[in-house]
């Protein structure tokens, strides 16, 4: 079944507390803004943003079942922090429960927490919007917003830096893909500089 935008918003908002839904609305608005600024598809960005946290408040057991029952899901995730699971689950249920089968939209949901090497334009837009939507208020968010005005890559590097720093301070395990994503973005910026100077 295909959902209209309004039906989708109603279905998703019912699965989370009001505060998290406000965050989702902020990510929707910011995703569209970033998409328009950096020439991504605003409709796809909005759709991915609506669904990005759809599974955030699902019981852990339910999330685990979805990951285990979908061969395309990364089973290795189950060895890592449960905070990462909702992205992978969202990727699966976007198609299964909401008829969203566009791989670009599904991937933007999948990678909005950790990033990945070779992030697409849409991946970058949704991931960065999740960091900087207007309701976000954490140490360093203004710096990320400032960097986001320069480029998606600079904004995301600042975002990943803040996540990694926080995890280091809390002596928590850092998901390796986040470090690889950050390194890849730095390489992309270096490459861009080289091309400009050639």
């Amino acid at each position: 079944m295909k959902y209209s935008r309004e039906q989708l918003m109603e279905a998703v908002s019912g699965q989370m507390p009001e505060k998290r839904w406000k965050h989702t609305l902020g990510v929707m608005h910011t995703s569209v803004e970033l998409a328009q600024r950096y020439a991504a598809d605003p409709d796809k960005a909005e759709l991915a943003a609506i669904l990005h946290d759809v599974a955030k408040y699902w019981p852990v057991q339910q999330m685990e079942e979805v990951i285990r029952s979908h061969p395309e899901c990364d089973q290795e995730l189950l060895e890592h922090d449960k905070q990462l699971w909702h992205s992978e689950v969202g990727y699966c249920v976007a198609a299964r429960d909401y008829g969203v089968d566009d791989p670009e939209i599904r991937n933007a949901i999948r990678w909005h927490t950790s990033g990945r090497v070779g992030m697409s334009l849409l991946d970058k837009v949704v991931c960065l919007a999740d960091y900087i939507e207007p309701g976000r208020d954490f140490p360093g968010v203004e710096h990320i917003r400032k960097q986001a005005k320069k480029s998606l890559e600079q904004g995301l590097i600042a975002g990943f830096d803040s996540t990694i720093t926080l995890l280091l301070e809390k002596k928590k395990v850092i998901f390796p893909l986040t470090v690889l994503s950050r390194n890849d973005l730095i390489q992309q910026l270096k490459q861009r500089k080289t091309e400009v100077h050639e």
Side-chain angles (χ1 to χ4, degrees):
M1 173 187 169
K2 286 276 185 189
Y3 282 66
S4 71
R5 179 179 177 274
E6 285 66 32
Q7 287 171 325
L8 192 60
M9 288 172 72
E10 192 178 335
V12 173
S13 65
Q15 298 190 52
M16 57 186 66
E18 191 183 342
K19 189 179 177 192
R20 179 55 55 166
W21 179 242
K22 278 185 182 165
H23 160 73
T24 298
L25 292 172
V27 177
M28 284 167 58
H29 175 73
T30 308
S31 289
V32 170
E33 270 186 3
L34 289 172
Q36 288 167 340
R37 189 187 308 160
Y38 292 111
D41 184 320
D43 292 331
K44 287 188 180 189
E46 185 181 58
L47 196 49
I50 292 170
L51 282 163
H52 84 284
D53 273 351
V54 66
K56 181 94 174 172
Y57 290 89
W58 286 18
V60 168
Q61 194 180 348
Q62 190 181 353
M63 286 199 277
E64 186 176 342
E65 278 167 16
V66 171
I67 293 170
R68 288 197 190 281
S69 65
H70 282 74
E72 61 185 318
C73 282
D74 180 2
Q75 304 298 313
E76 199 188 310
L77 258 187
L78 297 171
E79 309 300 316
H80 288 276
D81 196 321
K82 293 175 181 63
Q83 290 290 327
L84 296 161
W85 294 6
H86 75 281
S87 309
E88 194 77 3
V89 175
Y91 163 76
C92 290
V93 301
R96 187 192 76 183
D97 298 353
Y98 301 104
V100 177
D101 48 18
D102 183 318
E104 202 181 353
I105 294 170
R106 291 179 66 213
N107 278 329
I109 297 165
R110 185 179 207 172
W111 307 114
H112 83 267
T113 307
S114 63
R116 64 164 164 166
V117 174
M119 290 176 84
S120 72
L121 184 58
L122 195 66
D123 291 348
K124 290 174 182 176
V125 161
V126 177
C127 186
L128 185 54
D130 192 30
Y131 272 112
I132 64 169
E133 62 91 2
R136 287 292 205 196
D137 181 23
F138 57 86
V141 71
E142 286 308 326
H143 172 66
I144 302 169
R145 287 181 178 130
K146 206 171 178 179
Q147 295 304 306
K149 288 181 178 160
K150 298 176 186 175
S151 75
L152 288 169
E153 293 77 18
Q154 281 173 271
L156 280 169
I157 290 163
F160 290 145
D161 283 354
S162 78
T163 297
I164 291 165
T165 302
L166 182 69
L167 292 170
L168 286 170
E169 283 169 1
K170 291 186 169 183
K171 306 229 179 317
K172 282 194 164 189
V173 171
I174 297 167
F175 189 50
L177 193 55
T178 303
V179 178
L180 295 172
S181 306
R182 174 189 178 273
N183 292 349
D184 186 51
L185 291 163
I186 290 170
Q187 288 302 120
Q188 286 178 37
L189 287 179
K190 274 188 184 169
Q191 181 68 32
R192 206 174 286 168
K193 267 187 187 167
T194 308
E195 287 165 4
V196 167
H197 291 302
E198 277 175 0

